[in-house]
Amino acid sequence: MEYKLGEIEMKFADLIWDNEPITSGELAKRCEAALHWKKSTTYTILRRVCDRGLFRNDNGTVTSCVSKMEFLSKQSEQFVEDTFQGSLPRFLAAFTAGKRLSDKDVAELKKIIEENSR
């Protein structure tokens, strides 16, 4: 599964994640209000994200196949793999280049490392 969405597709996905389960008709109304889309645009994008395996539309009820947190986690992993040859230290070095981490940031990172290194 490809864990990439464009900016507008991500806004669309957020509408689903924030409101699921949601009927496709209600989703179309929310997309019209939030994104200024016609109903046909909503159904085209819905079909696209369903074909990618991120969401499903069963008899007019739209639900996620992947949680938002799982999606973001996989998207981040894919970015680090594609851009930094899978090296988390290289990613962190690039991400923090030219800026200082706060004591709170450092403490949170240490906690994450400790929790995930067992």
Side-chain angles (χ1 to χ4, degrees), residues 8-57:
I8 198 73
E9 288 175 324
M10 192 65 194
K11 289 178 182 180
F12 177 74
D14 280 336
L15 282 173
I16 298 171
W17 280 315
D18 292 345
N19 297 287
E20 70 176 310
I22 186 170
T23 65
S24 55
E26 178 63 23
L27 180 60
K29 288 177 189 174
R30 289 180 185 254
C31 287
E32 182 180 3
L35 304 171
H36 310 290
W37 287 0
K38 294 180 180 179
K39 185 186 274 189
S40 61
T41 303
T42 297
Y43 288 121
T44 298
I45 301 301
L46 178 58
R47 188 171 31 257
R48 190 179 306 163
V49 296
C50 287
D51 287 348
R52 290 185 191 170
L54 297 173
F55 299 97
R56 80 174 128 257
N57 183 1

Side-chain angles (χ1 to χ4, degrees), residues 2 109 118:
E2 184 179 344
L109 287 170
R118 296 180 183 155

Side-chain angles (χ1 to χ4, degrees), residues 67-82:
S67 71
K68 183 175 182 178
M69 184 55 88
E70 183 181 357
F71 174 82
L72 293 173
S73 175
K74 295 292 185 184
Q75 186 180 47
S76 299
E77 286 177 30
Q78 190 172 335
F79 175 78
V80 171
E81 185 63 40
D82 294 348

